[in-house]
Amino acid sequence: MEANKFYVLPKLPYEFTDLKPYISEEQLKIHYQKHHQAYVNGANAILEKLDKARKESTDLDMKATLKELSFNIGGNLLHSLFWGNLAPAGKGGGGKPTGVFGEAIDKEFGSFDRFKKEFTQAAVSVEGSGWATLTFCRRTKRPIIMQIEKHNMNVYPMFRILMVLDIFEHAYYIDYKNERAKFVEAFWSIVNWSEVNKRFEETTRAT
Ligand code: MN
């Protein structure tokens, strides 16, 4: 396998125990090592299948193959964003956004509390498995919440994703069982606002 042509699991920017008590070591480990790794492997397997079919001039079920590829690439990319979106509580995680991003949130939503409320509602109400994300629309220059189903549905094409929250049961079931709302509440204590702010500044600089 040529490494540069395939996806790799990114390194976690902290230790497995660093997000406690909001995310336990066991929960983080299984999420990262098993679930995220499975999307990396899944995406790569489909790319290899495409390579092989081209080489051997065989046909694939394109609809099924691309659907599966979209799910696995989405899973890998969103998880890669998610890990950087978190930081240990009190050591980069939690608090409120500041600077230009904080101002943009106030301008769009009226207040941070209103943003937090809307984002929480988007997260808690995901149908089945999915993500709550905050995006930025370069055309209107507005931050817009995007609720993704699975890893790839209801996506606004080309909108830059600024922050993400995983709402698959695999993200919280060990720690919170069926209590999704408690996991969403815990998320606010470990959001890495400086990373979100960095992504916002990169995005707005590029427009
Ligand atoms: Mn996940």
Side-chain angles (χ1 to χ4, degrees):
M1 198 189 271
E2 293 169 61
N4 58 341
K5 284 180 68 187
F6 293 93
Y7 296 104
V8 289
L9 189 69
K11 282 209 159 46
L12 275 190
Y14 33 74
E15 302 298 323
F16 288 123
T17 51
D18 283 349
L19 301 181
K20 292 197 302 184
Y22 304 100
I23 298 177
S24 70
E25 179 179 9
E26 186 189 8
Q27 178 71 74
L28 182 55
K29 246 185 192 169
I30 202 163
H31 194 180
Y32 170 74
Q33 291 178 332
K34 303 293 180 187
H35 292 280
H36 187 177
Q37 183 72 62
Y39 300 124
V40 172
N41 296 348
N44 289 338
I46 298 157
L47 292 178
E48 286 188 309
K49 198 166 91 172
L50 285 162
D51 287 346
K52 188 165 177 276
R54 288 168 193 160
K55 210 167 151 191
E56 296 172 356
S57 288
T58 53
D59 289 339
L60 291 172
D61 177 343
M62 287 310 282
K63 184 179 173 184
T65 303
L66 296 178
K67 194 171 175 176
E68 206 187 334
L69 185 61
S70 167
F71 180 75
N72 282 284
I73 286 181
N76 175 41
L77 297 184
L78 288 166
H79 282 93
S80 300
L81 287 176
F82 186 48
W83 309 129
N85 210 144
L86 303 177
K91 294 178 196 163
K96 283 182 180 185
T98 55
V100 284
F101 176 66
E103 285 163 24
I105 289 292
D106 286 343
K107 192 177 165 213
E108 174 66 25
F109 296 92
S111 66
F112 173 69
D113 286 343
R114 175 71 198 187
F115 162 68
K116 190 176 166 183
K117 188 175 167 189
E118 286 189 23
F119 192 89
T120 296
Q121 288 171 341
V124 171
S125 68
V126 169
E127 194 172 291
S129 297
W131 298 77
T133 78
L134 181 67
T135 67
F136 185 76
C137 173
R138 291 183 172 97
R139 187 160 300 177
T140 60
K141 311 269 189 284
R142 295 178 68 157
I144 299 179
I145 293 171
M146 172 168 77
Q147 185 193 59
I148 303 176
E149 288 178 14
K150 299 184 180 180
H151 295 312
N152 52 343
M153 295 170 70
N154 301 349
V155 170
Y156 313 139
M158 302 298 289
F159 278 28
R160 181 85 193 277
I161 297 177
L162 305 175
M163 69 183 272
V164 297
L165 171 57
D166 191 341
I167 295 298
F168 274 59
E169 277 191 349
H170 72 220
Y172 61 85
Y173 207 80
I174 292 169
D175 291 342
Y176 299 93
K177 299 290 183 282
N178 59 317
E179 299 193 82
R180 180 187 276 184
K182 281 193 181 169
F183 171 61
V184 174
E185 184 56 38
F187 168 72
W188 298 107
S189 297
I190 48 173
V191 185
N192 184 348
W193 289 117
S194 71
E195 177 65 24
V196 177
N197 187 58
K198 198 181 93 193
R199 252 180 244 149
F200 176 77
E201 285 182 0
E202 282 167 6
T203 304
T204 47
R205 206 180 301 131
T207 57

